[in-house]
Amino acid sequence: MIKALPIHIQQVVKTYGRIHALDHVDLEIKSGEFLTLLGPSGSGKTTLLMVLAGFTRPDSGSVRFGDREVIRTPPHKRDVGMVFQNYALFPHMTVAGNIGFPLRLRGVQKDDIHQRVEHALSTVQLDGLGDRRIDQLSGGQKQRVALARAIVFEPRILLMDEPLSALDKKLRDHMQIELRRLHEKLGITTVYVTHDQREALTMSDRVAVINHGRLIQCDSPRTIYDYPASPFVANFIGESTLIPVKRSNGNVVLDGQVLKVSGAVPDGRCSLMLRPERLTILPDRRNPDYNVFPGVVEEVVFQGESFVAYAVLESGTHVSMRGISQRETVASLPSRGKAVLLGLHWEETVLIPEANEDAPG
Amino acid sequence: MNWLSRPVSDIQITHGSRLWLYIVSGLIMMFLVVPTLIVIPMSFSDSQYLEFPPRVWSVRWYDNYFGSPEWMTATWVSVRAALLTVVVTTPVATLAAYGLSVSNLKASRWIFILLITPMMVPVILIAIGIFFAYAKLNLNNSMFGLVLAHSVLALPMCLIVISAGLKSYDMNQELVARSLGASRVKAFLVITLPQIRFSVISGALLAFVVSFDEVIVALFITGGEISTITRSMFLALRDQIDPTIASISTVLIMVTTLALVLTQVFGQSDSP
Ligand SMILES: Nc1ncnc2c1ncn2[C@@H]1O[C@H](COP(=O)(O)OP(=O)(O)OP(=O)(O)O)[C@@H](O)[C@H]1O
Ligand SMILES: [Mg+2]
């Protein structure tokens, strides 16, 4: 088992001209953790990864691996494994040559190199492919070679920049599970970059959501999904409709109706988050566990494994609800133009603070 | 006539319907090459004068060339100048191409243009400029000065060829190599250079050809002992036209062609 290192990122700033690629980022990555950086294109994910790898020197701030400050350490002295989106395998070397490269640089004995390369190959399930040329590999195999090359020298930190985005969906799903399993086996501190929210939720111990170079929220996938800290996170991860709510006498009110809410009510202005799959169609208003929103069905769309009903609430807000395609649910579906009662369980009634931190700065 | 009705490649056009294109292209190529090749039979003439076609064949002008100490000295000067130009130009062009390719300076486009200006400015201007500059620096009539001047002329071609090679090279490989523990220099030498080596070799061969063929600058800045073969030929042409020139030309054509053929062979081998 590799001894993993925690990463402490403090107040890191990187600007390109007037663009803040990283804007005072603070992030504590625990030893052995699988942390995913998630954010839209241009949000600064790659920049942060490059800062960790040592290719980009931030304008200010501190990065520590364990107790060691590494801001001034050049990339080749950081002992960090790295996997790029396009693999960046060395085409003039064989598979074994690629994987053995970091070991040769470290002056490992020949026999030892051979053994460790074989071991790395079997770790990524490529036994016996050591003599292959790089252009004889499939996309998935290249991905595995890149991975083997990044872990063979037992780095204590592994960085991956959208490593699966060049693979087709099936293979990607498969590799997600495999990467996750490999991480559990090696226990290596891993920072993973993706702009695919599903991938982030599937693989990570924690997800750090970044926008405009700022860290918006860093929490476990469940927390991120269930309790987004801002409207940006609520919209970026999963689908949601945000409806501003009013307050009166300490209660939260929407369309004249007092809401039953789970958890604390945030200070200041806030919105109710409606996720399509959390809404259900209720037969009546009798169940006290539900907040009920009456509306009119606009459209019902069949999408294979699920269907989506679009409705407009009395206040004029458009919402959608998603249900699985199952005989009973489909049979109970209202048709277009009919009135419905949409229910949201109080435990799933979450308020999002109307933060101003999402504004570009 | 089976071949005529066969498709050219994966497309529907047959060789037959392309025939006109082949003929036109063939004629153009002939027009380009024949004037050069005409000196070859002339060099094997037995006559005192340049004549075409020769009435009597002989190799006496080759004997004349290889037996003449002056011509041999001049040849040797050219070879040395060309080799030294390769030695100077290739590393400089490689470093420049690399620097321009990894830098994200806005100015790098302009630096590239600056570096290839010697190719766009009339050589005669460069020759005059170098002559006056060298007069101040006391570099006229020296091998060092000649090599330096030829390196200036050879740099553009060399730079363009190596830059083209770097275009199809994925710089991420170098980043990966560095993250895996290679210093920047090591990453360049072990990962990048092997993959652009054929472009570098092509660039070197082109630098050789540029120097070896050059006459104008040499006319201005050299003389006496340091006279290149092309310069000596040019001067000889003014005094007497004898077929030695043709035989030397033939040898030069062979050398240059060989270098260019090698350039093509190597240039196409860098796989992206
Ligand atoms: N070398 C550079 N020069 C100038 N601007 C840069 C440079 N690198 C990044 N940027 C800018 O910094 C911001 C963050 O870029 P970054 O590559 O980190 O985004 P990203 O989150 O990785 O996006 P993507 O998902 O598209 O890869 C962008 O606005 C980008 O234009
Ligand atoms: Mg990126």
Side-chain angles (χ1 to χ4, degrees):
Chain A
M1 190 91 139
I2 300 164
K3 205 172 140 272
L5 276 181
I7 305 174
H8 312 280
I9 302 169
Q10 281 167 357
Q11 291 293 304
V12 167
V13 174
K14 177 72 196 176
T15 51
Y16 289 110
R18 294 174 57 203
I19 297 172
H20 285 262
L22 294 175
D23 191 356
H24 297 90
V25 173
D26 281 309
L27 189 56
E28 296 285 319
I29 303 168
K30 297 188 200 102
S31 172
E33 182 175 38
F34 194 118
L35 182 121
T36 298
L37 302 175
L38 177 66
S41 189
S43 54
K45 308 180 294 290
T46 299
T47 307
L48 184 53
L49 210 68
M50 287 296 169
V51 166
L52 295 181
F55 293 114
T56 300
R57 169 86 79 89
D59 303 344
S60 63
S62 145
V63 175
R64 280 179 298 135
F65 293 171
D67 298 329
R68 190 162 61 108
E69 173 67 57
V70 294
I71 278 287
R72 281 164 205 284
T73 313
H76 65 282
K77 292 191 177 147
R78 290 200 180 192
D79 249 351
V80 160
M82 201 160 183
V83 180
F84 279 93
Q85 176 177 355
N86 61 357
Y87 323 127
L89 298 176
F90 309 137
H92 61 304
M93 299 179 185
T94 59
V95 167
N98 267 272
I99 300 175
F101 182 74
L103 300 178
R104 289 199 299 280
L105 287 172
R106 284 164 176 75
V108 178
Q109 293 292 308
K110 254 207 162 135
D111 302 345
D112 218 10
I113 291 183
H114 181 74
Q115 220 171 10
R116 285 169 69 175
V117 167
E118 289 300 313
H119 182 73
L121 276 172
S122 80
T123 307
V124 297
Q125 300 174 17
L126 286 180
D127 306 74
L129 290 192
D131 295 330
R132 285 275 186 95
R133 286 207 324 263
I134 296 305
D135 57 15
Q136 295 171 325
L137 300 177
S138 71
Q141 289 171 328
K142 283 182 187 161
Q143 183 55 65
R144 285 159 206 251
V145 174
L147 192 61
R149 185 177 63 177
I151 58 173
V152 70
F153 61 106
E154 305 190 345
R156 287 177 294 180
I157 290 167
L158 180 60
L159 307 176
M160 294 192 260
D161 194 353
E162 312 205 15
L164 305 182
S165 61
L167 304 179
D168 64 57
K169 171 129 179 32
K170 262 223 170 81
L171 194 53
R172 196 160 62 216
D173 291 348
H174 179 75
M175 285 300 291
Q176 283 174 6
I177 307 293
E178 213 167 283
L179 274 181
R180 187 62 231 196
R181 198 176 302 149
L182 188 70
H183 173 257
E184 260 148 40
K185 189 167 147 196
L186 299 176
I188 187 169
T189 309
T190 303
V191 183
Y192 187 96
V193 165
T194 182
H195 59 243
D196 178 344
Q197 42 119 349
R198 181 184 284 267
E199 191 167 290
L201 296 177
T202 309
M203 305 182 69
S204 329
D205 294 324
R206 282 194 304 158
V207 178
V209 181
I210 299 188
N211 192 27
H212 296 301
R214 263 179 288 179
L215 182 66
I216 308 288
Q217 185 176 8
C218 182
D219 271 310
S220 72
R222 279 311 294 258
T223 312
I224 286 263
Y225 191 83
D226 290 342
Y227 299 101
S230 77
F232 172 79
V233 180
N235 284 318
F236 191 69
I237 298 180
E239 295 167 59
S240 65
T241 308
L242 296 178
I243 309 173
V245 293
K246 293 202 184 73
R247 298 171 183 252
S248 71
N249 311 330
N251 283 329
V252 178
V253 180
L254 178 66
D255 294 347
Q257 172 185 193
V258 173
L259 294 177
K260 288 160 259 183
V261 175
S262 109
V265 176
D267 295 330
R269 303 195 316 149
C270 53
S271 303
L272 171 68
M273 175 175 73
L274 293 181
R275 291 213 188 269
E277 76 282 2
R278 297 277 156 96
L279 288 172
T280 41
I281 294 169
L282 296 177
D284 49 46
R285 287 174 177 273
R286 257 176 271 161
N287 193 334
D289 285 340
Y290 281 86
N291 293 303
V292 181
F293 309 101
V296 175
V297 176
E298 293 180 301
E299 187 96 60
V300 179
V301 179
F302 175 69
Q303 291 185 333
E305 82 284 359
S306 60
F307 63 85
V308 178
Y310 296 94
V312 55
L313 302 185
E314 282 173 348
S315 60
T317 311
H318 294 268
V319 297
S320 54
M321 67 95 29
R322 183 185 296 277
I324 51 168
S325 300
Q326 188 204 22
R327 206 165 45 88
E328 279 170 38
T329 18
V330 173
S332 73
L333 271 182
S335 48
R336 192 193 300 188
K338 287 275 164 58
V340 280
L341 293 176
L342 294 174
L344 180 66
H345 198 278
W346 69 269
E347 281 180 356
E348 292 174 339
T349 304
V350 175
L351 296 174
I352 314 285
E354 194 80 46
N356 46 17
E357 63 181 353
D358 289 343
Chain B
M1 284 292 103
N2 207 344
W3 176 81
L4 279 179
S5 53
R6 229 183 297 149
V8 171
S9 54
D10 294 340
I11 47 178
Q12 292 301 323
I13 301 166
T14 60
H15 286 291
S17 58
R18 275 264 175 100
L19 211 51
W20 66 272
L21 184 63
Y22 297 158
I23 292 168
V24 171
S25 316
L27 284 174
I28 291 173
M29 283 189 229
M30 245 172 67
F31 186 73
L32 288 173
V33 171
V34 166
T36 318
L37 296 186
I38 225 160
V39 302
I40 295 177
M42 290 203 305
S43 71
F44 288 100
S45 156
D46 194 43
S47 154
Q48 282 285 342
Y49 308 97
L50 286 169
E51 64 173 19
F52 182 84
R55 274 164 298 180
V56 188
W57 300 86
S58 102
V59 292
R60 58 183 280 210
W61 301 113
Y62 285 88
D63 288 340
N64 203 29
Y65 169 40
F66 289 109
S68 145
E70 294 89 51
W71 283 123
M72 281 296 105
T73 312
T75 308
W76 181 229
V77 167
S78 273
V79 170
R80 265 194 310 165
L83 288 177
L84 288 172
T85 301
V86 168
V87 169
V88 173
T89 311
T90 317
V92 171
T94 307
L95 291 176
Y98 177 83
L100 291 172
S101 137
V102 298
S103 103
N104 38 24
L105 278 179
K106 283 209 191 80
S108 60
R109 241 190 55 202
W110 297 106
I111 295 175
F112 182 80
I113 290 175
L114 188 78
L115 288 174
I116 64 168
T117 39
M119 203 169 80
M120 303 185 288
V121 176
V123 183
I124 190 99
L125 288 185
I126 297 177
I128 295 168
I130 290 178
F131 174 77
F132 281 107
Y134 277 13
K136 289 257 186 296
L137 297 169
N138 233 345
L139 278 176
N140 280 326
N141 268 330
S142 71
M143 186 52 123
F144 179 73
L146 181 67
V147 168
L148 218 56
H150 278 182
S151 299
V152 169
L153 296 179
L155 185 71
M157 285 297 260
C158 202
L159 179 69
I160 287 171
V161 169
I162 299 174
S163 292
L166 275 171
K167 279 236 167 63
S168 59
Y169 170 71
D170 172 21
M171 262 311 160
N172 275 347
Q173 287 181 41
E174 216 179 277
L175 293 192
V176 166
R178 286 164 67 196
S179 80
L180 294 174
S183 67
R184 190 155 192 181
V185 173
K186 178 119 194 188
F188 174 77
L189 292 177
V190 180
I191 301 299
T192 307
L193 194 56
Q195 292 184 61
I196 59 164
R197 66 184 184 280
F198 294 117
S199 309
V200 174
I201 293 173
S202 302
L205 287 167
L206 282 175
F208 184 91
V209 171
V210 168
S211 166
F212 203 66
D213 278 356
E214 205 285 325
V215 63
I216 301 172
V217 172
L219 277 171
F220 272 79
I221 66 167
T222 58
E225 278 180 14
I226 306 190
S227 177
T228 61
I229 184 90
T230 44
R231 180 179 183 279
S232 299
M233 283 167 74
F234 185 83
L235 295 179
L237 272 174
R238 282 199 314 203
D239 307 339
Q240 97 263 31
I241 298 193
D242 86 33
T244 312
I245 296 289
S247 65
I248 300 172
S249 302
T250 306
V251 172
L252 292 191
I253 289 169
M254 292 304 157
V255 172
T256 314
T257 309
L258 182 71
L260 290 176
V261 167
L262 288 177
T263 310
Q264 283 309 306
V265 171
F266 285 119
Q268 305 199 333
S269 314
D270 274 347
S271 55

